[in-house]
């Protein structure tokens, strides 16, 4: 039952992460960017929540305690319409809106951790832990996508945002290191192959540009990619990570 609900939760997390990233760019650009993409993404988030509800309804009665816990966590998404309306009305700061999405996502992570097996079969717990650490890494990638999208949309590379960027990258690296330490040989080898894809190198190129501009503290005299281009490249990476985690 945990495996079935964790897959559905990870899909909902994935869609919430994309909605958060687009909302970040929408707010940072004062509504000039992601005006078409954001409503479509909200529908995908709602569909993922509906799929999770259906998955829980199909579980056997013996999983009632897990279903009850899962349902209480899912209710955290119930105030999404209100959050979305305030985003559309430009009545929220980017930071507040992003934090609200992140809070929902982290509560789902906490749920997955608290409902893991605690039996004596060590390899099961090890596998579950590697899965959760990979989810953490994906979440950090989602936060990075949202933050850099906002930087590029608003041309703001100030110290507050750069400090947040470096923190996010450090947590992502630590989570991936834990995954690689706990994951089995097949999974870690497949992940390393994934990291050789061309869009990984392109994302790294954009990161270096952003870090260079942030370190200079001056208006960039180089042509930076658009917020939409970065979002697309970062999404290719996160989508690949999402597809990979379904094989774990």
């Amino acid at each position: 039952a945990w495996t079935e609900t964790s897959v559905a939760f990870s899909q909902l997390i994935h869609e919430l992460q994309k909605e958060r990233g687009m909302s970040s760019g929408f707010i940072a650009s004062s509504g000039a960017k992601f005006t078409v993409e954001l409503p479509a993404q909200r529908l995908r988030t709602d569909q993922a929540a509906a799929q999770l509800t259906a998955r829980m309804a199909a579980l056997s009665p013996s999983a009632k305690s897990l279903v009850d816990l899962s349902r209480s966590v899912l209710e955290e998404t119930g105030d999404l319409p209100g959050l979305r309306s305030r985003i559309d009305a430009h009545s929220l700061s980017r930071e507040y809106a992003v934090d609200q999405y992140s809070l929902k996502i982290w509560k789902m992570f906490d749920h997955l951790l608290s409902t893991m097996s605690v039996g004596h079969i060590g390899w099961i717990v090890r596998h579950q832990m590697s899965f959760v650490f990979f989810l953490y890494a994906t979440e950090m990638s989602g936060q990075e996508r949202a933050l850099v999208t906002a930087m590029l949309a608003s041309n703001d590379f100030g110290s507050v945002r750069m400090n947040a960027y470096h923190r996010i990258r450090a947590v992502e690296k630590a989570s991936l290191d834990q995954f690689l330490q706990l994951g089995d040989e097949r999974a870690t080898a497949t992940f390393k192959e994934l990291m050789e894809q061309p869009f990984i190198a392109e994302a790294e190129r954009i990161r270096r540009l952003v870090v260079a501009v942030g370190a200079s503290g001056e208006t960039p005299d180089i042509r930076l990619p658009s917020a939409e281009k970065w979002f697309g490249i970062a999404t290719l990476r996160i989508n690949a990570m999402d597809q990979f985690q379904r094989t774990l």
Side-chain angles (χ1 to χ4, degrees):
W2 186 90
T3 300
E4 294 175 14
T5 57
S6 67
V7 169
F9 263 114
S10 67
Q11 183 58 38
L12 176 55
I13 288 169
H14 181 62
E15 299 301 342
L16 276 170
Q17 288 167 335
K18 287 197 287 186
E19 182 174 332
R20 176 183 59 193
M22 291 183 186
S23 299
S24 176
F26 177 81
I27 296 170
S29 66
S30 299
K33 299 182 181 296
F34 300 101
T35 54
V36 175
E37 298 90 343
L38 183 54
Q41 179 54 45
R42 289 171 175 172
L43 288 176
R44 288 191 287 271
T45 300
D46 293 342
Q47 290 167 356
Q51 290 170 0
L52 174 56
T53 300
R55 183 69 62 89
M56 291 189 297
L59 293 176
S60 67
S62 63
K64 182 179 183 304
S65 60
L66 176 60
V67 170
D68 289 343
L69 287 170
S70 300
R71 185 172 290 114
S72 67
V73 174
L74 183 59
E75 287 173 357
E76 292 291 332
T77 63
D79 62 346
L80 270 179
L83 177 60
R84 291 165 173 171
S85 294
R86 295 174 71 189
I87 289 171
D88 291 343
H90 305 285
S91 62
L92 297 177
S93 69
R94 188 205 75 88
E95 288 73 19
Y96 179 84
V98 167
D99 283 348
Q100 291 303 299
Y101 281 106
S102 298
L103 181 61
K104 298 177 191 304
I105 291 168
W106 280 109
K107 285 185 177 180
M108 293 181 190
F109 283 141
D110 287 343
H111 168 72
L112 291 176
L113 275 174
S114 65
T115 55
M116 285 195 314
S117 294
V118 292
H120 299 293
I121 307 178
W123 69 267
I124 292 179
V125 176
R126 185 184 179 97
H127 178 78
Q128 290 174 325
M129 286 296 295
S130 70
F131 176 80
V132 171
F133 274 120
F134 193 81
L135 280 182
Y136 280 161
T138 306
E139 163 60 5
M140 290 299 102
S141 294
Q143 289 193 26
E144 178 198 28
R145 174 176 59 188
L147 179 57
V148 176
T149 297
M151 289 180 181
L152 293 170
S154 62
N155 203 33
D156 179 357
F157 303 89
S159 60
V160 172
R161 287 187 171 178
M162 290 308 304
N163 287 338
Y165 171 82
H166 289 300
R167 177 190 61 80
I168 288 168
R169 292 289 292 160
V171 175
E172 179 186 7
K173 182 181 183 305
S175 298
L176 283 176
D177 287 345
Q178 289 291 331
F179 159 73
L180 292 171
Q181 187 175 25
L182 293 169
D184 60 48
E185 186 176 347
R186 177 197 60 82
T188 56
T190 302
F191 175 73
K192 289 175 181 177
E193 289 177 6
L194 171 65
M195 291 296 101
E196 298 298 322
Q197 296 298 314
F199 52 80
I200 300 296
E202 177 62 10
E204 184 59 28
R205 184 187 72 82
I206 296 174
R207 286 192 192 100
R208 289 176 180 172
L209 288 174
V210 168
V211 169
V213 171
S216 72
E218 299 176 356
T219 301
D221 57 0
I222 56 176
R223 179 169 182 154
L224 292 169
S226 67
E228 292 89 346
K229 180 175 180 179
W230 157 255
F231 189 92
I233 293 294
T235 297
L236 284 176
R237 179 177 183 269
I238 294 172
N239 284 348
M241 293 174 73
D242 179 63
Q243 289 298 318
F244 169 72
Q245 81 185 20
R246 297 180 193 213
T247 69
L248 295 176

